[in-house]
Amino acid sequence: MIESHHTDLPGVLIIQPDRFGDHRGFFAETYSQRVYAELGINENFVQDNHSLSAETGTVRGLHFQGPPRAQAKLVRCGRGAIFDVAVDIRKGSETYGKWVGYELSAENGAQLFIPAGFAHGFATLQPDSEIIYKCSDYYAPETEVALRWNDPAIGIKWPVQGAAILSDKDSVAPVLADLESPFFWEG
């Protein structure tokens, strides 16, 4: 049995797969197309990504790909812990510019489903955190866009102590007010 819960952003789900454990460790089915379709996730995932962030306080994002290569993502943490964030960037949405964030960890096994039309980012809460995520389209750098991770208009409450560790691209990303979003709320 798998549990899913709606978040404050329509379409974004927090998912808790069952784990079966004993003295050796545990087993979890982290994705089944049939089971996830029953949850309303009908994406054709075509690419898996695996990222390691060595330092606590590393922030990656906020990123998205625009049409025609927009991506839905199914994110989990394979080692360590992250604070995973989705931001609604669909024009006309009642939740445009709003965000949700959840702790995903190797210990809790939780996943976050983020549909196309949302920017995504995360901050590491432990050293050597590994993030594993499925994407519904292939990486297309010509469609990739970044938003400023600490844009005060979005107001994400990142659990980062001290200065965030950022890529050069993320440190100079534009703010939401400068975004001409290619996504529209479809009701």
Side-chain angles (χ1 to χ4, degrees):
M1 184 70 181
I2 195 168
E3 290 183 34
S4 71
H5 303 281
H6 294 278
T7 69
D8 291 339
L9 299 181
V12 177
L13 299 174
I14 187 80
I15 300 166
Q16 188 64 60
D18 279 339
R19 283 188 172 179
F20 304 95
D22 62 22
H23 66 281
R24 300 166 298 165
F26 70 85
F27 170 83
E29 186 175 273
T30 60
Y31 178 74
S32 164
Q33 187 178 40
R34 178 181 60 239
V35 172
Y36 280 61
E38 292 170 4
L39 300 176
I41 300 171
N42 293 302
E43 301 294 337
N44 180 28
F45 292 112
V46 298
Q47 179 174 312
D48 282 2
N49 296 332
H50 187 156
S51 168
L52 168 71
S53 293
E55 301 290 329
T56 300
T58 298
V59 175
R60 296 181 187 252
L62 304 160
H63 302 151
F64 67 92
Q65 285 188 182
R69 305 303 298 270
Q71 293 177 321
K73 296 177 181 177
L74 181 61
V75 183
R76 65 188 177 95
C77 184
R79 179 169 65 166
I82 64 171
F83 182 69
D84 204 48
V85 173
V87 178
D88 189 347
I89 55 170
R90 300 166 300 167
K91 289 181 186 174
S93 168
E94 291 182 8
T95 56
Y96 182 83
K98 305 291 185 207
W99 66 277
V100 293
Y102 297 92
E103 182 174 325
L104 306 181
S105 69
E107 185 175 324
N108 70 23
Q111 301 175 349
L112 193 63
F113 172 71
I114 305 165
F118 292 80
H120 171 250
F122 63 87
T124 56
L125 303 175
Q126 295 178 11
D128 296 321
S129 290
E130 294 186 15
I131 299 80
I132 302 159
Y133 58 102
K134 296 185 160 311
C135 297
S136 65
D137 204 340
Y138 301 103
Y139 177 59
E142 69 278 6
T143 68
E144 187 178 32
V145 179
L147 287 175
R148 182 92 40 90
W149 71 282
N150 62 350
D151 181 348
I154 299 171
I156 298 170
K157 293 176 177 56
W158 294 100
V160 174
Q161 304 294 319
I165 300 167
L166 303 166
S167 70
D168 291 342
K169 176 180 77 173
D170 289 345
S171 66
V172 297
V175 295
L176 183 64
D178 294 334
L179 175 68
E180 185 57 42
S181 180
F183 297 103
F184 298 89
W185 169 247
E186 297 178 9

